[in-house]
Amino acid sequence: MKPQLAQQAKTVGDVAPGPFASFVRFVVCGGGIGVLSSGAVALLAGTMPWAVANAVITVASTVLCTELHALFTFGTGKRAGWRQHWQSAGSATAAYAVTSLAVLILHLVQSSPGMLTEQVVYLSASGLAGIGRFLVLRLFVFAGVRDGGQDRDRAFVRKAAAARRRVVPVPTRLPNRVLTPAAFAVGS
Protein backbone atom coordinates (compact mmCIF):
# COMPACT_ATOMS: atom_id res chain seq x y z
CA MET A 1 0.00 0.00 0.00
CA LYS A 2 1.35 3.42 -0.92
CA PRO A 3 1.89 6.00 1.79
CA GLN A 4 -0.63 8.86 1.82
CA LEU A 5 1.96 11.45 0.77
CA ALA A 6 2.77 9.52 -2.42
CA GLN A 7 -0.90 9.62 -3.46
CA GLN A 8 -1.30 13.39 -3.25
CA ALA A 9 -0.89 15.32 -6.48
CA LYS A 10 1.62 18.12 -6.62
CA THR A 11 0.22 21.35 -8.00
CA VAL A 12 2.13 23.81 -10.10
CA GLY A 13 4.09 25.91 -7.61
CA ASP A 14 2.42 23.93 -4.76
CA VAL A 15 -0.70 26.09 -5.14
CA ALA A 16 -3.52 25.56 -7.63
CA PRO A 17 -3.98 28.68 -9.77
CA GLY A 18 -6.96 30.91 -9.11
CA PRO A 19 -9.72 31.60 -11.63
CA PHE A 20 -7.96 34.49 -13.37
CA ALA A 21 -4.61 32.70 -13.66
CA SER A 22 -6.42 29.57 -14.89
CA PHE A 23 -8.26 31.60 -17.52
CA VAL A 24 -5.03 33.20 -18.74
CA ARG A 25 -3.39 29.78 -18.94
CA PHE A 26 -6.47 28.38 -20.68
CA VAL A 27 -6.33 31.14 -23.29
CA VAL A 28 -2.61 30.63 -23.88
CA CYS A 29 -2.80 26.83 -24.13
CA GLY A 30 -6.24 26.43 -25.67
CA GLY A 31 -6.02 29.56 -27.79
CA GLY A 32 -2.58 28.69 -29.10
CA ILE A 33 -3.67 25.18 -30.01
CA GLY A 34 -6.92 26.63 -31.41
CA VAL A 35 -5.08 29.01 -33.75
CA LEU A 36 -2.81 26.19 -34.93
CA SER A 37 -5.88 23.97 -35.34
CA SER A 38 -7.65 26.56 -37.44
CA GLY A 39 -4.76 26.56 -39.89
CA ALA A 40 -4.67 22.77 -39.88
CA VAL A 41 -8.42 22.60 -40.58
CA ALA A 42 -7.99 24.99 -43.50
CA LEU A 43 -5.16 22.85 -44.93
CA LEU A 44 -7.01 19.57 -44.43
CA ALA A 45 -10.24 21.00 -45.86
CA GLY A 46 -8.49 21.08 -49.25
CA THR A 47 -8.22 17.27 -49.22
CA MET A 48 -11.49 16.28 -47.48
CA PRO A 49 -14.86 17.80 -46.54
CA TRP A 50 -14.55 20.68 -44.09
CA ALA A 51 -16.66 18.97 -41.38
CA VAL A 52 -14.44 15.86 -41.49
CA ALA A 53 -11.27 17.98 -41.34
CA ASN A 54 -12.72 19.88 -38.38
CA ALA A 55 -13.57 16.60 -36.62
CA VAL A 56 -10.07 15.15 -37.10
CA ILE A 57 -8.36 18.30 -35.86
CA THR A 58 -10.84 18.69 -33.00
CA VAL A 59 -10.09 15.17 -31.70
CA ALA A 60 -6.32 15.66 -31.89
CA SER A 61 -6.39 19.11 -30.34
CA THR A 62 -8.79 18.00 -27.58
CA VAL A 63 -6.48 15.23 -26.43
CA LEU A 64 -3.49 17.59 -26.44
CA CYS A 65 -5.38 20.41 -24.71
CA THR A 66 -6.81 18.12 -22.02
CA GLU A 67 -3.29 17.05 -21.09
CA LEU A 68 -2.06 20.66 -21.07
CA HIS A 69 -5.04 21.81 -19.01
CA ALA A 70 -4.56 19.04 -16.45
CA LEU A 71 -0.84 19.69 -16.06
CA PHE A 72 -0.66 23.44 -16.47
CA THR A 73 -3.96 25.33 -16.70
CA PHE A 74 -5.71 23.94 -13.64
CA GLY A 75 -2.57 22.88 -11.78
CA THR A 76 -3.41 19.27 -10.97
CA GLY A 77 0.25 18.34 -11.35
CA LYS A 78 -0.60 15.07 -13.05
CA ARG A 79 -1.80 13.86 -16.42
CA ALA A 80 -5.50 13.72 -17.16
CA GLY A 81 -7.26 10.44 -16.49
CA TRP A 82 -9.81 8.71 -18.68
CA ARG A 83 -12.69 10.46 -16.89
CA GLN A 84 -11.24 13.89 -17.61
CA HIS A 85 -10.57 12.96 -21.23
CA TRP A 86 -14.16 11.77 -21.75
CA GLN A 87 -15.64 14.82 -20.03
CA SER A 88 -13.37 17.12 -21.99
CA ALA A 89 -14.39 15.29 -25.16
CA GLY A 90 -18.01 16.04 -24.31
CA SER A 91 -17.31 19.76 -24.05
CA ALA A 92 -15.21 19.58 -27.23
CA THR A 93 -18.13 17.91 -29.03
CA ALA A 94 -20.29 20.87 -28.10
CA ALA A 95 -17.54 23.23 -29.33
CA TYR A 96 -17.31 21.22 -32.58
CA ALA A 97 -21.06 21.61 -33.05
CA VAL A 98 -20.85 25.37 -32.45
CA THR A 99 -17.96 25.88 -34.90
CA SER A 100 -19.51 23.63 -37.54
CA LEU A 101 -22.87 25.35 -37.22
CA ALA A 102 -21.25 28.79 -37.49
CA VAL A 103 -19.38 27.83 -40.67
CA LEU A 104 -22.50 26.11 -42.07
CA ILE A 105 -24.53 29.28 -41.50
CA LEU A 106 -21.76 31.29 -43.15
CA HIS A 107 -21.92 29.03 -46.22
CA LEU A 108 -25.71 29.33 -46.29
CA VAL A 109 -25.52 33.13 -46.13
CA GLN A 110 -22.55 33.46 -48.49
CA SER A 111 -22.14 30.69 -51.07
CA SER A 112 -18.36 30.91 -51.41
CA PRO A 113 -16.79 32.96 -48.63
CA GLY A 114 -13.11 33.74 -48.72
CA MET A 115 -10.67 31.95 -46.49
CA LEU A 116 -10.24 35.05 -44.31
CA THR A 117 -14.01 35.35 -43.75
CA GLU A 118 -14.25 31.66 -42.96
CA GLN A 119 -11.39 31.95 -40.47
CA VAL A 120 -12.96 34.97 -38.75
CA VAL A 121 -16.25 33.11 -38.34
CA TYR A 122 -14.50 29.92 -37.22
CA LEU A 123 -12.26 31.69 -34.69
CA SER A 124 -15.16 33.77 -33.34
CA ALA A 125 -17.24 30.65 -32.81
CA SER A 126 -14.21 28.91 -31.29
CA GLY A 127 -13.72 31.81 -28.87
CA LEU A 128 -17.32 31.65 -27.66
CA ALA A 129 -17.18 27.87 -27.39
CA GLY A 130 -13.84 28.22 -25.58
CA ILE A 131 -15.36 30.37 -22.84
CA GLY A 132 -18.04 27.73 -22.34
CA ARG A 133 -15.40 24.99 -22.28
CA PHE A 134 -13.32 26.88 -19.72
CA LEU A 135 -16.30 27.08 -17.38
CA VAL A 136 -17.13 23.39 -17.83
CA LEU A 137 -13.52 22.29 -17.34
CA ARG A 138 -12.90 24.51 -14.32
CA LEU A 139 -16.21 23.93 -12.55
CA PHE A 140 -16.79 20.26 -13.35
CA VAL A 141 -14.00 18.32 -15.07
CA PHE A 142 -10.96 19.43 -13.05
CA ALA A 143 -12.77 20.81 -9.98
CA GLY A 144 -12.23 17.68 -7.85
CA VAL A 145 -8.59 17.13 -8.76
CA ARG A 146 -7.42 20.73 -8.92
CA ASP A 147 -6.39 20.73 -5.26
CA GLY A 148 -4.88 17.24 -5.43
CA GLY A 149 -7.44 16.04 -2.89
CA GLN A 150 -6.17 18.53 -0.31
CA ASP A 151 -9.67 19.85 0.49
CA ARG A 152 -10.85 16.29 1.18
CA ASP A 153 -7.73 15.67 3.32
CA ARG A 154 -8.24 18.92 5.24
CA ALA A 155 -11.88 17.97 5.95
CA PHE A 156 -10.78 14.57 7.26
CA VAL A 157 -8.17 16.17 9.53
CA ARG A 158 -10.75 18.66 10.84
CA LYS A 159 -13.23 15.86 11.62
CA ALA A 160 -10.54 13.76 13.32
CA ALA A 161 -9.40 16.73 15.44
CA ALA A 162 -13.00 17.47 16.46
CA ALA A 163 -13.50 13.83 17.42
CA ARG A 164 -10.32 13.89 19.55
CA ARG A 165 -11.53 16.98 21.39
CA ARG A 166 -14.82 15.26 22.30
CA VAL A 167 -13.15 12.20 23.83
CA VAL A 168 -13.35 12.16 27.61
CA PRO A 169 -10.41 10.37 29.21
CA VAL A 170 -11.41 7.35 31.25
CA PRO A 171 -9.38 6.62 34.39
CA THR A 172 -7.26 3.53 33.99
CA ARG A 173 -7.23 2.61 37.70
CA LEU A 174 -9.60 2.98 40.60
CA PRO A 175 -8.89 5.23 43.58
CA ASN A 176 -6.98 3.64 46.46
CA ARG A 177 -9.71 4.05 49.03
CA VAL A 178 -13.31 3.12 48.67
CA LEU A 179 -15.81 5.78 49.59
CA THR A 180 -18.48 4.67 52.02
CA PRO A 181 -21.52 6.58 53.26
CA ALA A 182 -19.64 7.22 56.46
CA ALA A 183 -16.94 9.12 54.53
CA PHE A 184 -19.57 11.68 53.58
CA ALA A 185 -20.65 12.33 57.12
CA VAL A 186 -20.05 15.83 58.33
CA GLY A 187 -17.11 16.08 60.63
CA SER A 188 -15.67 12.70 59.87
Side-chain angles (χ1 to χ4, degrees):
M1 183 159 185
K2 292 182 182 179
Q4 180 67 20
L5 291 176
Q7 293 176 352
Q8 291 181 349
K10 296 283 186 195
T11 58
V12 177
D14 292 329
V15 177
F20 181 73
S22 290
F23 185 72
V24 169
R25 292 175 179 192
F26 180 83
V27 170
V28 170
C29 290
I33 298 295
V35 169
L36 293 174
S37 295
S38 111
V41 168
L43 289 174
L44 276 182
T47 61
M48 60 183 72
W50 189 90
V52 174
N54 190 21
V56 168
I57 296 302
T58 298
V59 168
S61 65
T62 299
V63 171
L64 177 60
C65 281
T66 301
E67 289 295 329
L68 288 173
H69 293 325
L71 291 169
F72 181 69
T73 303
F74 300 109
T76 65
K78 60 183 180 178
R79 294 184 63 184
W82 284 106
R83 182 185 67 82
Q84 286 90 14
H85 275 291
W86 280 111
Q87 289 174 330
S88 182
S91 69
T93 301
Y96 168 76
V98 167
T99 57
S100 293
L101 184 63
V103 172
L104 176 68
I105 291 171
L106 171 66
H107 283 273
L108 290 174
V109 171
Q110 195 175 33
S111 62
S112 58
M115 186 183 223
L116 180 61
T117 304
E118 194 172 74
Q119 286 299 299
V120 167
V121 169
Y122 175 78
L123 289 174
S124 298
S126 291
L128 289 174
I131 291 170
R133 279 198 54 167
F134 171 76
L135 293 172
V136 167
L137 293 176
R138 176 149 177 96
L139 298 175
F140 300 106
V141 177
F142 294 109
V145 295
R146 183 174 47 247
D147 65 357
Q150 292 171 0
D151 281 344
R152 183 184 63 243
D153 294 342
R154 283 188 208 110
F156 176 78
V157 169
R158 279 194 304 271
K159 286 180 184 177
R164 280 194 303 273
R165 284 192 298 268
R166 285 191 293 261
V167 172
V168 177
V170 177
T172 57
R173 60 187 186 105
L174 294 173
N176 289 336
R177 59 179 206 175
V178 178
L179 297 178
T180 62
F184 289 105
V186 179
S188 329

